[in-house]
Every structure is written in C-alpha cells, then in structure tokens.
Amino acid sequence: MATKPLVPSASAVRWLGVIAAPTALALGFLWAGGGLTPHRLTQTSLLDALRAVDGTPPGFRRNHAKGVCVTGWFEGNGNAAGISTASVLQPGRVPVVGRFALAGGMPFQADAPAKVRSMALRLMSPDGQEWRMGINDIPVFPVRTPQEFQDLQLASRPDPASGKPDPARVKAFRAAHPWLRAAGAQITHRPLSSGFSDDTYRSLNSFLFVAKDGAKAAVRLSMVPLQPVTPADAHAGDHDYLFRQLIDDLHAHPLQWRLMVTLAGSGDAIDNPSKEWSRDNRQIDAGTLTLKDIESEENGPCTGITFDPLVLPRGMMPSGDPILQARSAAYMRSFYLRSGERPTAPAVSPEMTVPPANAKDNKS
Amino acid sequence: MKNVKSFTMPSRVLHWVMAVMILAMIFIGVFMASTVGSDYYRLVALHRSVGIAILVLAMLRLGNRLHTPPPPLPEDLPPVIKVGAHASHILLYVLMIVLPLVGWGMLSAGGYPIPLWGQSVRLPPILPYDPMLWAELRSAHTLLAFLLFGLVLAHITAALFHGLIRRDGVLRSMLLRASLDPISQESHGD
Ligand code: HEM
Ligand code: HEM
Ligand code: HEM
C-alpha cells in the first residue's frame, strides 16, 4: 500500500466541495440566530426596549418589578368543567402561589392610583398539571402585536434631558397607530379602585378551553373581587401605600376573587388583545380564589417563578394572539437574566410583611 | 484504501438519523431563542421532545458503539490526527448526552413543567428547584450547544476532506450505500 501524503494535491473544485457545506451551515446558523437581520424582533430587543424606559436594576423582573408574594388556594366549582377538561376547574381546592405588582420595570417606583396593577398566579393541581397566569387591571391591552409593544416602549422612553417621555414621540406613535386609539382611551378612562384588594384583573389575551369532546372555546378570564369596591383616593407622599394597604388587608382577613370565564361572541376579536369583547357575552363563574398570606419578595415563594402565560394545564391552549408568544419568550429570558443576578433589597421588605402579632413578639 | 471497512449498518443509520436531528435541533434552538414570533411556543415544544429523543438515541448509540468497535482509520494517517479524530468523537458523544440533560436539568431547576409531545407525557424534574442553578445551566446550554455546533462543523469539514481530497475511504465507511456514491466510486480508481 502506497502511503499518501497527508494532504494530497486536489483540484480547486474539490476544495470548494470541502468548504461549501460547512460555510453554508455557518451562514444558516448566523441567520437563524438573527445575526443577519439586526431589526428582527427578539427576546433581547423587547427587554432592551423595556430597559430603555425603566433601566435595569439587577435581580428584578424586567417588567412588573415592584411586587409582593402571596399564597392561598383556588377552589373550582365545576361550572366551567363542561368547556375545559382542566383539573383545576373541577370541584376541589388547589394551592396557589401568587404575586401582586405594579407594571413597569422600576422596582422602587412610587405607588400611585393610576399605575397599572397586576395579579400573577400559579395554580398547582394534585395531578401535577400547572396553570400560570399574569393578569392586569386594565380593560384592554394598549397594543395588538409584539412589534407595537416594542415601538410603544421606545416611543415612551424618557428623554435624557427632561427625564420624561418626549411628547412628540408619543404623539407620533399614536398618529401612526390610529387603530389603537380606542384602547388608549379605554385605559385612560377606566374606573380606578382604591387598591389591590378591591381591583379586577383581566387576562386581556385570549385562550382556548378544550372540552372532553375536543371542542374548543375562545375565552378571556378575569378575577373579580368579593371585597366591596371603593374608588381611588389620593395618597400623596406615601411611597408604598398600595402595598401597605394590601398587607394590612391580608393581615386582617383573607381576600377573595371570583374567576370569571368570558366566552367569545361571534363578533369578538380573539387574537387582538387591544379590542374589547361585547359586554353581553356568556360568563361562567368558575371558582373562588382565596389569598391568605403575604411575604416580601426577599426569599418569598413567588420570586423564583416566572408567571409565563403559556404554562397551561391539559384542557387549555394558547389562542392565536401574537402577544402570548412574545410574553412566553420574554418572560423566560427575563427569568434567566434576573435569576443570575444578585438583587438589592426589594421595596416591600420582609419587615413590612411581618404579621402584627409577630411584630410585637419581635419587639419584646 | 479499499481495505477500510465500513461501519455496521445500525451504526450508520444511527449516525445519519442523529446527524439530521442534531443539526435541526441546533438551528431550531438558536432560532427560537431569538424570536418572539407566532411559532415560538410550538418550536420550544418541538425542541424539548426532539431533544429528549436525541438523549435516548445517544444512549442506544453509545451502547452500540461499545458493543461493536468502529473500523480502524487508515494506517497512513499520522498518529496526531488519529488521536484528534478519536478525541473529537468522544467529545461528540459527551455533548450528545450532556446537552439534552442540561436542557432537562435547567427546566427542572427553573421550576418549569416539562411536557413532551403536546401534553401527553410530563418529564419529572431531575434537579432540585433552584433559580440560580437554572440561570447557570441556561448559560451552559447555550455554551455547550455552540461548542457542539463548532465541533460538528470541524467534523463535517474533516469528513469531506477525507472524501474529496484524501479519498481514503473514511467517508465511504459511514455512507449508507457506498456503491451508489460517486465520490467513493471515484476513489476506487485511485
Ligand atoms: C408583548 C407584550 C409583553 C411583554 C414583552 C411583557 C414583558 C414582561 C416581562 C419581561 C415580565 C417579567 C417576567 C419575569 O421576570 O418573570 C412581565 C411581567 C408581567 N406581565 Fe408582561 N409583558 C407583555 C404583555 C403583558 C400582558 C398582555 C399582560 C396582562 C394581561 C402582562 C402581565 C404581566 C404581569 C401580571 C407580570 C408580572 C408577573 C409577576 O408578578 O411576576 N404582560 N411582563
Ligand atoms: C441535542 C439536544 C439539544 C440541542 C442541540 C439544543 C440546542 C439548543 C440551542 C442551540 C439553543 C439556543 C441557545 C441560545 O441561543 O441561547 C437552545 C435553547 C433551549 N433549549 Fe435546547 N438543545 C437540546 C436539548 C434540549 C432539551 C432536551 C431541552 C428541554 C427538555 C431543551 C430546552 C431548551 C430551552 C428551554 C431553550 C431556551 C429557549 C429560549 O431561550 O427561548 N434543549 N437549545
Ligand atoms: C450533527 C451532526 C453529526 C454528528 C453529531 C456526528 C457524530 C459522529 C460520531 C460520534 C462519529 C464517530 C463514529 C460513531 O461512533 O458513530 C462520526 C463518524 C463519522 N461521521 Fe459524523 N456526525 C455528524 C455529521 C456528519 C456529517 C454531516 C458527515 C459527512 C459529511 C459525517 C461524516 C462522518 C464520517 C465519515 C465518520 C467516520 C469517521 C471514522 O471513520 O472514524 N458526520 N460522526
């Protein structure tokens, strides 16, 4: 057997053959990762847009950064079992870990009546099926698509000179998106309740409930308070009054909400969260949420959870709403980044959430 | 050169099925991790299921490899190259097994449910819930996937170098139907 040199001479075409496939793969890799399309909407570009508005204090959620953990349970009543096989909707209790928060990426922002409040929940069925949701107290979402979300964030980023959003940029966004005008007006003119405890929270995005026979029904969800609702009042100067009020309420008694499932009517836009649904749709009272305990995010049970709206139990599916996909992707990225960072102490500190009896014990 | 024996049929089938799956997974992975579009949820679901399938196949393949040793490389290859080839194959095996385990492990540590094939199967967590560990493993998953991709590129370049430049039968030893392959037929003429 003749020994060949390690690299025998060969034609350029053959060398091209060696190089072509790996080069094509490397280019494909670059394209798939967005390297060739710098304007692609990505997890990074969405989080960057949020950061442009709010900055990034390390360790906190990139949105809804100021919050507090709560725990309790959800008790299904079986009324919605006909449209979804999800075990949480059957009669029975499941444990809940949740979080109340203010929208926005600033973990130390001051509370104010018109700031968007949110409730986030993780419901854990005994069979291991899990349902997570993050719901807001506005009637509709201000935008229809992830691209619009990013554009709106960028338009409302504070001007470095004034520290306030540039009104001209916001106006330009509004002018370019006339179809969002109705949503903007509905959000601005929504009735404001006094605090977290008497607020109504809505899924805004739509989901599909799947019945036993496979039939799918488009629904939106809301949590309606069983506490009496009182209108918002001014609390100038108290930086954390909304959270203090929630802590006091929960130390006094459990808080309850009714889970209302609204079915889409024939004219309702399922995949557009900026459009309100008709008000005379069929609604199902699906069960009651009871929250009993409250804890600071510092070592609290909700801190290491991302309330990804696409963590759904069997019997529920995402609708075609494009915002849902972007949320799932952005929440995972935010959860990854913040989990690797060391946070400073949160605004709602462990001292603030100590129940009154223990507070006395601690002093003695 | 004609005395370079082929890999056994099961080895070759496993090699090519997994080559397609792994390349697809790398592309799905980098694409889904940089998209917020309407396919995100479906791609992540596909990624989990195919990733676990790769893990199962890689274990089978490792068993097969330990059971039936591969044909030797051509004798005239310098020892350094042989050692390098051998080491890169070991590293490929390690990554084929470790990368899906890191994927599974990171979702476990992050407290995510891990459904496969729609909602029909749910994988149990293989690591305790620990968000800090989730963050570290999520970084490791990217790093190892990029390493795997680099290694695969080098591997393919080497395989084509053997097939087109050296024409020493190494590429043919892995092809499914060597006799139908123009390159290897040509190499008979050497
Ligand atoms: C494309 C649109 C959206 C983007 C990019 C976005 C982004 C984010 C991010 C990055 C987080 C932090 C997640 C974490 O670190 O765990 C978050 C939290 C949250 N988002 Fe969104 N969001 C969007 C739309 C919505 C919508 C439509 C709703 C309500 C219906 C919503 C409600 C919430 C709630 C309630 C939280 C806080 C969850 C908690 O308390 O942990 N978001 N959002
Ligand atoms: C051979 C198997 C696998 C390969 C080649 C692979 C490859 C990849 C790649 C290239 C990425 C993108 C990384 C980035 O750009 O940051 C990725 C992300 C990811 N992988 Fe894998 N993976 C594998 C197995 C798995 C398994 C078994 C699971 C889970 C059970 C998994 C879950 C994930 C998740 C959740 C992400 C992040 C998605 C996101 O950031 O939106 N992977 N994978
Ligand atoms: C993701 C893609 C790939 C992976 C993970 C991979 C992995 C491997 C591994 C581990 C081996 C060692 C033999 C064994 O135990 O099975 C091997 C051998 C081989 N592969 Fe690949 N491979 C890939 C793609 C390719 C491609 C695209 C080609 C052809 C262009 C190729 C050509 C070869 C050849 C010729 C051998 C035999 C080398 C020898 O005789 O030692 N591989 N591959």
Side-chain angles (χ1 to χ4, degrees):
Chain A
M1 192 168 61
T3 40
K4 233 179 233 195
L6 179 59
V7 184
S9 66
S11 69
V13 178
R14 282 178 176 274
W15 279 107
L16 201 68
V18 174
I19 299 303
T23 309
L25 284 173
L27 281 174
F29 184 81
L30 215 65
W31 172 83
L36 304 180
T37 44
H39 295 294
R40 184 149 111 201
L41 205 61
T42 65
Q43 286 87 337
T44 310
S45 75
L46 281 177
L47 295 190
D48 282 351
L50 281 164
R51 185 172 60 182
V53 179
D54 298 325
T56 25
F60 290 96
R61 284 165 164 78
R62 296 324 199 230
N63 198 359
H64 297 247
K66 184 181 184 183
V68 66
C69 300
V70 289
T71 46
W73 62 85
F74 175 77
E75 188 153 359
N77 55 22
N79 290 348
I83 58 168
S84 168
T85 56
S87 45
V88 276
L89 299 174
Q90 308 300 319
R93 255 187 204 195
V94 301
V96 168
V97 175
R99 185 170 178 271
F100 286 98
L102 289 182
M106 311 79 83
F108 305 105
Q109 64 176 311
D111 297 358
K115 287 191 176 170
V116 174
R117 298 166 220 156
S118 67
M119 172 193 269
L121 302 172
R122 185 187 69 181
L123 294 74
M124 225 24 149
S125 309
D127 60 2
Q129 294 286 320
E130 196 174 327
W131 184 16
R132 299 188 190 178
M133 66 177 92
I135 56 184
N136 288 351
D137 75 342
I138 42 179
V140 288
F141 202 53
V143 296
R144 193 191 49 168
T145 64
Q147 182 71 54
E148 288 172 2
F149 181 86
Q150 179 167 309
D151 293 345
L152 178 59
Q153 293 297 317
L154 291 176
S156 32
R157 69 180 180 272
D159 188 86
S162 67
K164 289 213 160 62
D166 176 355
R169 245 187 307 193
V170 178
K171 220 169 137 194
F173 176 86
R174 295 233 173 90
H177 301 83
W179 56 91
L180 298 178
R181 203 174 295 144
Q186 278 166 322
I187 294 168
T188 312
H189 300 121
R190 71 191 192 275
L192 298 175
S193 76
S194 69
F196 283 111
S197 311
D198 62 352
D199 213 347
T200 298
Y201 304 90
R202 298 179 187 85
S203 70
L204 309 182
N205 301 121
S206 312
F207 295 86
L208 301 179
F209 274 17
V210 187
K212 209 171 181 165
D213 62 1
K216 293 182 185 135
V219 300
R220 284 181 182 173
L221 309 158
S222 53
M223 284 286 184
V224 180
L226 295 187
Q227 292 67 243
V229 181
T230 48
D233 45 7
H235 280 263
D238 189 348
H239 192 267
D240 303 313
Y241 85 93
L242 283 171
F243 286 96
R244 278 183 213 285
Q245 204 177 343
L246 175 67
I247 292 166
D248 289 348
D249 287 349
L250 272 169
H251 285 161
H253 49 78
L255 296 174
Q256 293 195 305
W257 280 263
R258 188 160 278 153
L259 171 64
M260 298 302 295
V261 177
T262 305
L263 284 103
S266 54
D268 293 329
I270 291 157
D271 300 342
N272 183 348
S274 71
K275 282 269 186 290
E276 201 177 28
W277 283 2
S278 152
R279 287 175 196 229
D280 40 45
N281 287 4
R282 181 154 85 99
Q283 288 206 320
I284 302 172
D285 163 8
T288 309
L289 170 72
T290 304
L291 296 176
K292 211 172 133 286
D293 294 304
I294 185 158
E295 265 176 89
S296 162
E297 277 197 281
E298 191 172 323
N299 304 318
C302 70
T303 311
I305 301 175
T306 186
F307 295 92
D308 177 341
L310 294 189
V311 172
L312 295 168
R314 204 178 296 155
M316 296 183 195
M317 284 169 51
S319 69
D321 182 341
I323 295 283
L324 278 174
Q325 306 275 338
R327 288 180 70 188
S328 185
Y331 291 25
M332 179 179 270
R333 188 59 50 89
S334 169
F335 181 41
Y336 158 38
L337 295 173
R338 67 185 169 86
S339 297
E341 300 162 347
R342 207 166 287 280
T344 47
V348 182
S349 65
E351 291 71 41
M352 285 165 67
T353 55
V354 180
N358 298 359
K360 262 181 236 130
D361 289 352
N362 287 351
K363 273 178 208 134
S364 64
Chain B
M1 305 313 115
K2 284 149 204 119
N3 60 356
V4 175
K5 285 196 305 199
S6 282
F7 281 80
T8 61
M9 197 40 137
S11 307
R12 281 179 279 158
V13 170
L14 274 169
H15 175 270
W16 289 109
V17 169
M18 291 190 69
V20 171
M21 287 171 80
I22 290 173
L23 276 172
M25 275 295 279
I26 294 174
F27 284 98
I28 292 173
V30 289
F31 180 75
M32 76 188 187
S34 59
T35 183
V36 298
S38 56
D39 291 324
Y40 177 78
Y41 181 76
R42 238 169 306 159
L43 286 176
V44 178
L46 181 71
H47 186 88
R48 283 190 305 256
S49 299
V50 176
I52 296 301
I54 289 174
L55 176 62
V56 172
L57 286 176
M59 310 281 237
L60 285 178
R61 182 167 170 189
L62 182 62
N64 173 64
R65 163 85 189 220
L66 296 175
H67 191 251
T68 46
L73 286 165
E75 279 156 29
D76 57 352
L77 274 181
V80 202
I81 301 276
K82 285 189 184 170
V83 170
H86 200 66
S88 70
H89 292 170
I90 292 176
L91 195 53
L92 283 170
Y93 270 97
V94 168
L95 288 174
M96 283 189 282
I97 292 170
V98 167
L99 193 54
L101 282 176
V102 169
W104 184 357
M106 76 190 186
L107 292 178
S108 309
Y112 277 97
I114 313 170
L116 294 187
W117 317 114
Q119 289 270 22
S120 50
V121 187
R122 289 171 48 101
L123 288 182
I126 50 169
L127 285 176
Y129 169 65
D130 177 353
M132 194 92 90
L133 183 61
W134 137 258
E136 282 157 12
L137 290 176
R138 178 64 187 79
S139 306
H141 194 69
T142 302
L143 218 73
L144 293 174
F146 282 37
L147 177 64
L148 174 61
F149 184 64
L151 206 57
V152 165
L153 284 190
H155 177 78
I156 294 174
T157 311
L160 292 172
F161 173 73
H162 280 288
L164 293 173
I165 309 293
R166 276 184 64 83
R167 292 182 262 168
D168 56 8
V170 169
L171 178 56
R172 183 159 31 103
S173 74
M174 190 47 96
L175 294 180
L176 285 178
R177 295 174 67 186
S179 57
L180 287 185
D181 179 71
I183 298 164
S184 55
Q185 271 172 3
E186 228 176 287
S187 71
H188 287 302
D190 279 359

